[in-house]
Amino acid sequence: MPTVPAKRDTYTPDSLLTVAVRVFNERGYDGTSMEHLSKAAGISKSSIYHHVRGKEELLRRAISRALDGLFGILDEPAAVDGPAIDRLEHVARRTTEVLMSELPYVTLLLRVRGNTDTERWAMARRRDFDQRVTALLRQAAAEGDLRTDVDPRLATRLLFGMINSLVEWYRPDRGGRTPGPDPEVADAVVRTAFAGLRT
Amino acid sequence: MPTVPAKRDTYTPDSLLTVAVRVFNERGYDGTSMEHLSKAAGISKSSIYHHVRGKEELLRRAISRALDGLFGILDEPAAVDGPAIDRLEHVARRTTEVLMSELPYVTLLLRVRGNTDTERWAMARRRDFDQRVTALLRQAAAEGDLRTDVDPRLATRLLFGMINSLVEWYRPDRGGRTPGPDPEVADAVVRTAFAGLRT
C-alpha cells in the first residue's frame, strides 16, 4: 500500500485536532478513516497513533472542547444569579457566541448520531444541557416573565433550533467580518427569541 | 452478483418514492446506490428502472414535492393580501405545517448539498424561497410593523433556523400525536418568532 508522502510530524495535539475536526465535518465521522486523517494531515497513520489511540479519541477531544464551552456558560455569574428570564437570555446570547467562536467543534457535536460510546455520551451531554435550559424556562414561567402559552420543552427546542442553525449558515470569514463572534448575530438571536420580530 | 429475492413489483411512482426518500434520508443521497434502493424496496434494479431513469429522477421528484408545498404557500390569499407582517406570520405558520405534513420530503430538501444538477437546482430554489420571505420582512419593516434593529436577511435565517430545526426533533408518531401537522407546534413558532418568549 503506498504510504503518504513524508512530512515531518510537527503536530501538537491541538493542531492535529483542528485537522481531524475539519475532516470529520466534511466527510462525517462515520465516513472518516484513519487513512483520510493521514492524508489530510500529511503524516503517516503511525505518526497519528503516536498522538492518539485512534479516531474515537480525536472525536472525544473535539466534543469535549465544545461541551466545555457550552457547560461553562451555565456556571457564569449572569447564568446563576438574578431573575430566571435574564439568566436565560444570558445563556442564549453566550451559547450563540460559543457556537461562533468554537464553530467546527460545536458543528461536530450537533451532528453526531450515536453509533459509538463517545457519540452516545455526546448526545447524553447535549440532552443534559437542554434540560438545564428547559429548567430555566420553567422557572422564568413560574416567575411570570415567560409566556405560558408555549410549552417549555417546545420553546427550548425552538430557541436552540434558531441558535444551532448557525452551523448551517454562519461563516466567520465571509462578508468582511472581524475575527471572533459577531455581536450582531448574538443580539439578533436574543431580540428575536425574547422580544419577537413584531414591533 | 446475487439478485434481490423475488417480489412482485406492485409499486406506483408514489409508493416507490416513499421508499427512496426514506433511504436517502437514512444514508444520505450520495451514499445511496441503486442496490440500496433495490434492497429497501424488495424489487430488482431493473424493476426500479422500469419506473424511473435512476436515483437522480427519484431525488428530483421528491424535492419537487417539497418545493411545490412550500412555494404553494406564497400563492395562498393570506400570503398575498394584507399587511406584510400578517402575510409573513401566515407564511411562517404554513411553512411549519408543510414541514410537518411533508416531513421526509422537506428533510431531504434541507439536506441536499449540491453535487448534482438536481441538488444545485434544489439549493437555488431554496434560496428563491428565502429571498421571497426576506422581501416580505423588508416590506413589514417599511410598514413599521417589524423591528428594525435586526437585519432582514439575518431575521430570515433565524426564523427558518427555528422552523427547519423541526426536521431534527419533530416526530409525528411520538407522544400520542394525532396524524397530521401538530397545531401546537405551529402556534409555538409564530408566538416565539413574532411576539417573543418574554411576557
Side-chain angles (χ1 to χ4, degrees):
Chain A
M1 194 146 64
T3 53
V4 172
K7 173 182 163 182
R8 220 176 123 229
D9 175 10
T10 56
Y11 282 101
T12 63
D14 271 3
S15 63
L16 184 62
L17 195 60
T18 305
V19 174
V21 168
R22 177 170 53 76
V23 181
F24 290 157
N25 281 331
E26 279 166 13
R27 310 188 62 97
Y29 175 70
D30 281 341
T32 302
S33 65
M34 285 300 282
E35 191 71 27
H36 294 131
L37 294 177
S38 156
K39 275 187 186 148
I43 58 173
S44 67
K45 281 193 270 184
S46 62
S47 294
I48 295 181
Y49 283 120
H50 175 73
H51 294 286
V52 289
R53 261 163 301 166
K55 70 168 192 165
E56 195 166 345
E57 184 178 332
L58 287 163
L59 179 70
R60 189 180 51 72
R61 286 192 192 181
I63 296 287
S64 294
R65 180 162 158 170
L67 289 168
D68 287 350
L70 293 171
F71 276 91
I73 295 167
L74 301 178
D75 294 328
E76 291 171 357
V80 175
D81 300 318
I85 190 77
D86 296 335
R87 292 154 56 196
L88 188 62
E89 263 199 28
H90 175 81
V91 170
R93 175 184 302 279
R94 292 283 299 127
T95 301
T96 309
E97 288 171 355
V98 166
L99 203 146
M100 290 187 275
S101 59
E102 302 289 339
L103 191 64
Y105 301 89
V106 182
T107 301
L108 187 62
L109 170 66
L110 295 178
R111 288 190 183 157
V112 296
R113 280 295 170 270
N115 297 315
T116 61
D117 283 347
T118 301
E119 288 169 279
R120 281 186 288 271
W121 161 76
M123 291 173 78
R125 295 287 284 156
R126 263 192 76 184
R127 276 195 299 276
D128 286 348
F129 188 82
D130 288 359
Q131 281 165 4
R132 297 273 300 267
V133 177
T134 303
L136 260 182
L137 265 100
R138 284 190 210 284
Q139 201 181 333
E143 291 171 8
D145 295 322
L146 197 86
R147 58 187 314 128
T148 49
D149 55 1
V150 175
D151 172 72
R153 275 193 59 214
L154 191 47
T156 307
R157 283 173 162 162
L158 295 175
L159 178 61
F160 283 118
M162 183 186 276
I163 294 172
N164 294 345
S165 76
L166 265 75
V167 305
E168 303 296 330
W169 55 263
Y170 179 74
R171 296 296 170 264
D173 46 359
R174 210 180 279 170
R177 295 187 207 270
T178 49
D182 183 337
E184 189 194 347
V185 175
D187 283 344
V189 165
V190 169
R191 285 174 185 148
T192 303
F194 291 90
L197 291 171
R198 208 185 253 270
T199 51
Chain B
M1 193 145 66
T3 53
V4 172
K7 174 182 162 182
R8 221 176 120 228
D9 175 10
T10 55
Y11 281 101
T12 64
D14 271 2
S15 64
L16 183 61
L17 196 60
T18 305
V19 174
V21 168
R22 177 170 54 75
V23 181
F24 289 157
N25 282 331
E26 278 167 12
R27 310 188 64 96
Y29 175 70
D30 281 342
T32 303
S33 65
M34 286 299 283
E35 190 71 28
H36 294 132
L37 294 177
S38 156
K39 275 188 186 146
I43 58 173
S44 68
K45 281 193 270 186
S46 62
S47 295
I48 295 181
Y49 283 119
H50 174 74
H51 293 286
V52 288
R53 264 162 301 165
K55 72 169 190 163
E56 195 167 345
E57 184 178 333
L58 287 163
L59 180 69
R60 190 180 52 72
R61 286 193 192 179
I63 297 287
S64 294
R65 178 161 161 174
L67 289 168
D68 287 350
L70 293 171
F71 276 91
I73 295 167
L74 302 178
D75 295 327
E76 291 171 359
V80 175
D81 299 320
I85 190 77
D86 296 336
R87 291 153 58 197
L88 188 63
E89 262 198 31
H90 175 79
V91 170
R93 175 183 301 281
R94 290 283 297 126
T95 301
T96 308
E97 287 170 358
V98 166
L99 203 147
M100 288 186 278
S101 61
E102 302 288 340
L103 191 64
Y105 301 90
V106 182
T107 300
L108 187 61
L109 170 66
L110 295 178
R111 288 189 184 158
V112 295
R113 278 297 169 272
N115 297 315
T116 61
D117 284 347
T118 301
E119 287 169 279
R120 280 186 290 269
W121 160 78
M123 290 174 79
R125 295 286 283 155
R126 262 192 77 184
R127 275 195 300 275
D128 288 348
F129 188 83
D130 287 0
Q131 282 164 4
R132 297 272 300 266
V133 177
T134 303
L136 260 183
L137 265 99
R138 284 189 209 286
Q139 201 181 333
E143 291 172 7
D145 295 324
L146 196 85
R147 57 187 314 128
T148 50
D149 55 1
V150 175
D151 171 73
R153 275 192 60 215
L154 192 46
T156 307
R157 281 172 163 162
L158 295 175
L159 178 61
F160 283 118
M162 182 186 274
I163 294 172
N164 294 346
S165 76
L166 265 74
V167 306
E168 303 297 331
W169 56 262
Y170 179 74
R171 296 294 170 264
D173 45 0
R174 210 179 279 170
R177 297 186 205 269
T178 49
D182 182 338
E184 189 195 348
V185 175
D187 282 344
V189 165
V190 169
R191 284 173 187 150
T192 303
F194 290 91
L197 290 171
R198 208 184 252 271
T199 49

